[in-house]
Amino acid sequence: MTLLNPQQLDAEALYATLLADVRAGLTGVADVAIVGIHSGGAWLAERLAADLGLTERCGVLDVSFYRDDYAKKGLPADVKPTRINFDVNAATILLVDDVLYTGRTTRAALNELFDYGRPARIMLAALVDRGERQLPVAADFVAAHVKVEAGKALVLQQSDDGKFTLTIDQA
């Protein structure tokens, strides 16, 4: 695993890498659906679904109510509705997030996803893995591994024309 400098991340190039890996990894897999975690994962999922011809089987999760810090932090102001308009039962779900970090968001997403049914399999894709896991979660597909200093957040942004950029912000 090669660690990249977070200051030099090209989100569009990373997306191309992730798309190629996902396309190869899903070859021959039946009943695939894509679910993105709001907000960056949702943007990635929607673009992956379009590029893979799965727009009818693309959904979005907002894990705000499923987070283990919900009671402590309260409800964020930008809660979006979860939208899954396909049958999750027996499907292969590609769960997509922008940045994999502690694993807690993934855990919350899995909890919510199972409220919609029992998938045959769940695979995880992340644009960037910054390590420092607190839960035993690993992505099946990841475009880059980076180390980000403590107190900083790696944030995916999407411009009006759909292009992705990554920035480092105060956490």
Side-chain angles (χ1 to χ4, degrees):
M1 168 179 57
T2 303
L3 286 176
L4 298 177
N5 178 344
Q7 303 292 344
Q8 299 173 333
L9 293 176
D10 177 344
E12 284 297 316
L14 293 177
Y15 174 77
T17 298
L18 185 64
L19 173 61
D21 290 350
V22 167
R23 180 176 278 133
L26 293 179
T27 300
V29 176
D31 201 19
V32 175
I34 299 176
V35 177
I37 301 171
H38 176 72
S39 63
W43 299 332
L44 289 164
E46 289 167 355
R47 191 155 155 196
L48 283 167
D51 289 341
L52 297 170
L54 293 168
T55 55
E56 296 298 314
R57 302 213 11 108
C58 183
V60 176
L61 292 176
D62 187 324
V63 300
S64 297
F65 293 109
Y66 290 80
R67 293 192 55 89
D68 58 7
D69 58 359
Y70 173 74
K72 182 179 176 183
K73 289 186 173 181
L75 191 62
D78 64 340
V79 173
K80 302 289 188 219
T82 290
R83 179 182 39 84
I84 297 178
N85 299 323
F86 51 85
D87 190 6
V88 168
N89 289 300
T92 296
I93 304 292
L94 179 66
L95 183 63
V96 182
D97 203 0
D98 52 357
V99 179
L100 181 56
Y101 183 29
T102 64
R104 293 182 179 280
T105 298
T106 303
R107 185 218 43 89
L110 292 170
N111 285 355
E112 184 172 1
L113 193 54
F114 275 91
D115 284 351
Y116 286 83
R118 188 172 188 271
R121 180 179 183 187
I122 299 173
M123 302 170 86
L124 179 61
L127 190 65
V128 178
D129 183 342
R130 64 175 281 183
E132 302 180 52
R133 214 75 75 239
Q134 296 173 355
L135 299 174
V137 173
D140 297 279
F141 310 102
V142 64
H145 296 269
V146 300
K147 181 78 172 154
V148 178
E149 67 182 90
K152 302 284 185 176
L154 193 56
V155 179
L156 182 69
Q157 298 172 335
Q158 186 179 41
S159 64
D160 291 340
D161 66 357
K163 300 291 183 196
F164 295 128
T165 56
L166 283 162
T167 59
I168 299 174
D169 297 344
Q170 260 330 103

Coordinates of all heavy atoms in Angstrom, one line a residue, residues 32 64 81 100 102 118 122 138:
V32 N -26.7 -6.5 -9.2 CA -25.9 -5.4 -8.5 C -26.8 -4.2 -8.4 O -27.5 -3.8 -9.3 CB -24.7 -5.1 -9.3 CG1 -23.9 -3.9 -8.7 CG2 -23.8 -6.3 -9.4
S64 N -27.6 9.7 9.4 CA -27.6 10.6 10.6 C -28.3 9.9 11.8 O -27.8 10.1 12.9 CB -28.3 11.9 10.3 OG -27.6 12.6 9.3
P81 N -33.1 12.8 2.8 CA -33.9 11.5 2.9 C -33.1 10.4 2.3 O -32.4 10.6 1.3 CB -35.2 11.8 2.1 CG -34.8 12.9 1.2 CD -33.7 13.7 1.9
L100 N -13.0 6.7 3.7 CA -13.1 5.7 4.7 C -12.1 6.1 5.8 O -10.9 6.3 5.5 CB -12.8 4.3 4.2 CG -12.8 3.2 5.1 CD1 -14.2 3.0 5.8 CD2 -12.5 1.9 4.3
T102 N -12.7 6.0 10.3 CA -12.8 5.2 11.5 C -13.6 3.9 11.3 O -13.5 2.9 12.0 CB -13.5 5.9 12.6 OG1 -14.8 6.3 12.3 CG2 -12.7 7.2 13.0
R118 N -32.4 -7.9 3.2 CA -31.3 -8.7 3.5 C -30.5 -9.0 2.2 O -30.9 -9.9 1.4 CB -31.7 -10.0 4.1 CG -30.5 -10.9 4.6 CD -31.0 -12.1 5.4 NE -29.8 -12.7 6.0 CZ -29.1 -13.7 5.4 NH1 -29.4 -14.1 4.1 NH2 -28.1 -14.3 6.0
I122 N -22.7 -7.5 0.5 CA -22.4 -6.0 0.5 C -20.9 -5.9 0.2 O -20.1 -6.4 0.9 CB -22.8 -5.3 1.8 CG1 -24.3 -5.5 2.0 CG2 -22.4 -3.9 1.7 CD1 -24.8 -5.0 3.4
A138 N -13.1 -2.8 6.1 CA -12.1 -2.7 5.0 C -12.9 -2.6 3.7 O -13.9 -3.2 3.5 CB -11.2 -3.9 5.0

